[in-house]
Short mmCIF file of all heavy atoms in Angstrom, two decimals:
data_model
loop_
_atom_site.label_atom_id
_atom_site.label_comp_id
_atom_site.label_asym_id
_atom_site.label_seq_id
_atom_site.Cartn_x
_atom_site.Cartn_y
_atom_site.Cartn_z
N SER A 346 199.82 -46.08 53.23
CA SER A 346 200.54 -45.40 52.15
C SER A 346 200.92 -43.99 52.58
O SER A 346 200.37 -43.44 53.54
CB SER A 346 199.66 -45.34 50.91
OG SER A 346 198.60 -44.42 51.14
N SER A 382 209.65 -29.52 58.87
CA SER A 382 209.31 -29.39 57.45
C SER A 382 207.96 -30.05 57.15
O SER A 382 207.20 -29.55 56.33
CB SER A 382 210.43 -29.98 56.58
OG SER A 382 210.58 -31.34 56.87
N ARG A 398 194.98 -20.15 58.72
CA ARG A 398 195.89 -19.13 58.22
C ARG A 398 197.04 -18.99 59.21
O ARG A 398 196.91 -19.35 60.38
CB ARG A 398 195.18 -17.81 57.99
CG ARG A 398 194.68 -17.11 59.22
CD ARG A 398 194.07 -15.75 58.81
NE ARG A 398 193.75 -14.97 60.00
CZ ARG A 398 192.65 -15.13 60.75
NH1 ARG A 398 191.78 -16.06 60.44
NH2 ARG A 398 192.44 -14.37 61.81
N PHE A 425 176.46 -25.95 60.50
CA PHE A 425 175.19 -25.66 61.16
C PHE A 425 174.99 -26.67 62.28
O PHE A 425 175.10 -27.89 62.06
CB PHE A 425 174.01 -25.73 60.18
CG PHE A 425 173.84 -24.48 59.38
CD1 PHE A 425 174.01 -24.48 58.00
CD2 PHE A 425 173.51 -23.28 60.01
CE1 PHE A 425 173.86 -23.31 57.27
CE2 PHE A 425 173.36 -22.11 59.28
CZ PHE A 425 173.55 -22.12 57.90
N VAL A 463 159.04 -28.67 64.06
CA VAL A 463 160.45 -28.66 64.46
C VAL A 463 161.32 -28.27 63.28
O VAL A 463 162.17 -27.37 63.37
CB VAL A 463 160.85 -30.06 65.00
CG1 VAL A 463 162.34 -30.13 65.23
CG2 VAL A 463 160.09 -30.36 66.28
N VAL A 485 180.66 -26.79 55.96
CA VAL A 485 181.27 -28.12 55.78
C VAL A 485 180.51 -29.24 56.49
O VAL A 485 180.96 -30.38 56.48
CB VAL A 485 182.75 -28.12 56.25
CG1 VAL A 485 183.59 -27.21 55.37
CG2 VAL A 485 182.85 -27.71 57.72
N SER A 492 166.55 -34.70 71.64
CA SER A 492 166.17 -35.25 72.94
C SER A 492 165.41 -36.56 72.75
O SER A 492 164.20 -36.62 72.89
CB SER A 492 165.30 -34.22 73.66
OG SER A 492 164.87 -34.74 74.89
N PHE A 504 163.01 -43.27 69.72
CA PHE A 504 162.12 -43.01 70.85
C PHE A 504 162.44 -41.67 71.48
O PHE A 504 163.57 -41.18 71.39
CB PHE A 504 162.21 -44.12 71.90
CG PHE A 504 163.58 -44.35 72.47
CD1 PHE A 504 164.01 -43.67 73.61
CD2 PHE A 504 164.45 -45.26 71.87
CE1 PHE A 504 165.28 -43.89 74.14
CE2 PHE A 504 165.73 -45.48 72.40
CZ PHE A 504 166.14 -44.80 73.53
N ILE A 569 181.53 -41.38 78.49
CA ILE A 569 182.79 -41.52 77.76
C ILE A 569 183.58 -42.63 78.45
O ILE A 569 183.88 -42.55 79.64
CB ILE A 569 183.61 -40.21 77.79
CG1 ILE A 569 182.78 -39.02 77.30
CG2 ILE A 569 184.90 -40.36 76.99
CD1 ILE A 569 182.46 -39.01 75.83
N ASN A 571 187.01 -44.72 78.29
CA ASN A 571 188.37 -44.74 77.73
C ASN A 571 188.49 -43.82 76.51
O ASN A 571 189.06 -44.19 75.49
CB ASN A 571 188.76 -46.18 77.38
CG ASN A 571 190.27 -46.33 77.23
OD1 ASN A 571 191.04 -45.48 77.70
ND2 ASN A 571 190.70 -47.38 76.57
N GLY A 610 163.82 -35.37 87.68
CA GLY A 610 163.51 -34.51 86.54
C GLY A 610 162.74 -33.28 86.96
O GLY A 610 162.40 -33.09 88.14
N ARG A 620 155.14 -26.39 93.26
CA ARG A 620 155.06 -25.40 92.18
C ARG A 620 154.61 -25.99 90.85
O ARG A 620 154.74 -25.35 89.81
CB ARG A 620 156.44 -24.76 91.97
CG ARG A 620 156.88 -23.90 93.14
CD ARG A 620 158.34 -23.50 92.97
NE ARG A 620 158.79 -22.69 94.09
CZ ARG A 620 159.36 -21.49 93.94
NH1 ARG A 620 159.56 -20.97 92.75
NH2 ARG A 620 159.74 -20.82 95.01
N ILE A 636 156.92 -23.58 84.12
CA ILE A 636 157.60 -24.85 83.87
C ILE A 636 158.88 -24.52 83.10
O ILE A 636 159.15 -23.36 82.81
CB ILE A 636 156.71 -25.85 83.07
CG1 ILE A 636 156.18 -25.21 81.79
CG2 ILE A 636 155.58 -26.37 83.93
CD1 ILE A 636 155.45 -26.21 80.89
N PHE A 677 180.63 -47.72 86.40
CA PHE A 677 181.59 -47.24 85.39
C PHE A 677 182.96 -46.87 85.94
O PHE A 677 183.89 -46.71 85.17
CB PHE A 677 181.02 -46.00 84.67
CG PHE A 677 179.94 -46.31 83.68
CD1 PHE A 677 178.61 -46.07 83.97
CD2 PHE A 677 180.26 -46.86 82.45
CE1 PHE A 677 177.61 -46.35 83.04
CE2 PHE A 677 179.28 -47.14 81.52
CZ PHE A 677 177.94 -46.89 81.82
N GLU A 680 186.18 -41.06 86.13
CA GLU A 680 187.08 -40.09 86.78
C GLU A 680 186.28 -38.85 87.18
O GLU A 680 186.60 -38.18 88.15
CB GLU A 680 188.17 -39.71 85.78
CG GLU A 680 189.24 -38.81 86.34
CD GLU A 680 190.33 -38.53 85.31
OE1 GLU A 680 190.33 -39.17 84.22
OE2 GLU A 680 191.18 -37.66 85.59
N MET A 681 185.22 -38.59 86.40
CA MET A 681 184.47 -37.35 86.60
C MET A 681 182.99 -37.57 86.27
O MET A 681 182.66 -38.30 85.34
CB MET A 681 185.03 -36.27 85.68
CG MET A 681 184.44 -34.90 85.86
SD MET A 681 185.07 -33.71 84.64
CE MET A 681 186.73 -33.44 85.26
N LEU A 688 170.39 -29.84 85.56
CA LEU A 688 171.01 -30.57 86.67
C LEU A 688 172.21 -29.82 87.23
O LEU A 688 172.67 -30.10 88.34
CB LEU A 688 171.41 -31.98 86.24
CG LEU A 688 170.27 -33.00 86.15
CD1 LEU A 688 170.81 -34.37 85.77
CD2 LEU A 688 169.50 -33.09 87.48
N GLU A 690 172.22 -26.58 88.09
CA GLU A 690 171.73 -25.83 89.25
C GLU A 690 171.20 -26.77 90.33
O GLU A 690 171.37 -26.52 91.52
CB GLU A 690 170.61 -24.86 88.82
CG GLU A 690 171.14 -23.60 88.16
CD GLU A 690 171.52 -23.83 86.71
OE1 GLU A 690 171.10 -24.84 86.13
OE2 GLU A 690 172.27 -22.99 86.15
N LEU A 693 174.13 -27.97 92.21
CA LEU A 693 174.71 -26.91 93.04
C LEU A 693 173.83 -26.65 94.27
O LEU A 693 174.33 -26.35 95.35
CB LEU A 693 174.91 -25.63 92.24
CG LEU A 693 176.01 -25.71 91.18
CD1 LEU A 693 176.01 -24.46 90.30
CD2 LEU A 693 177.39 -25.92 91.83
N GLN A 698 173.54 -33.32 99.79
CA GLN A 698 172.82 -34.60 99.72
C GLN A 698 173.44 -35.53 98.68
O GLN A 698 173.56 -36.73 98.92
CB GLN A 698 171.34 -34.38 99.33
CG GLN A 698 170.46 -33.87 100.44
CD GLN A 698 170.49 -32.35 100.53
OE1 GLN A 698 171.27 -31.69 99.83
NE2 GLN A 698 169.67 -31.80 101.40
N ALA A 726 175.78 -26.96 75.84
CA ALA A 726 176.65 -28.14 75.72
C ALA A 726 176.17 -29.07 74.60
O ALA A 726 176.95 -29.56 73.80
CB ALA A 726 176.70 -28.90 77.05
N ALA A 732 177.67 -29.38 66.98
CA ALA A 732 178.67 -28.75 66.10
C ALA A 732 179.87 -29.67 65.93
O ALA A 732 180.37 -29.87 64.81
CB ALA A 732 179.10 -27.40 66.67
N LEU A 744 190.80 -32.00 53.17
CA LEU A 744 190.83 -31.51 51.80
C LEU A 744 189.68 -32.08 50.98
O LEU A 744 189.05 -31.38 50.20
CB LEU A 744 192.18 -31.82 51.15
CG LEU A 744 193.40 -31.24 51.90
CD1 LEU A 744 194.64 -31.32 51.06
CD2 LEU A 744 193.15 -29.81 52.36
N GLY A 751 183.13 -26.92 48.43
CA GLY A 751 183.39 -25.78 47.56
C GLY A 751 182.82 -25.94 46.16
O GLY A 751 182.59 -24.97 45.46
#
Side-chain angles (χ1 to χ4, degrees):
Chain A
S346 70
S382 61
R398 67 176 188 279
F425 278 115
V463 172
V485 295
S492 177
F504 57 91
I569 307 289
N571 198 18
R620 292 170 181 234
I636 53 173
F677 286 104
E680 185 177 351
M681 185 184 286
L688 282 182
E690 282 79 17
L693 290 172
Q698 283 87 353
L744 303 192

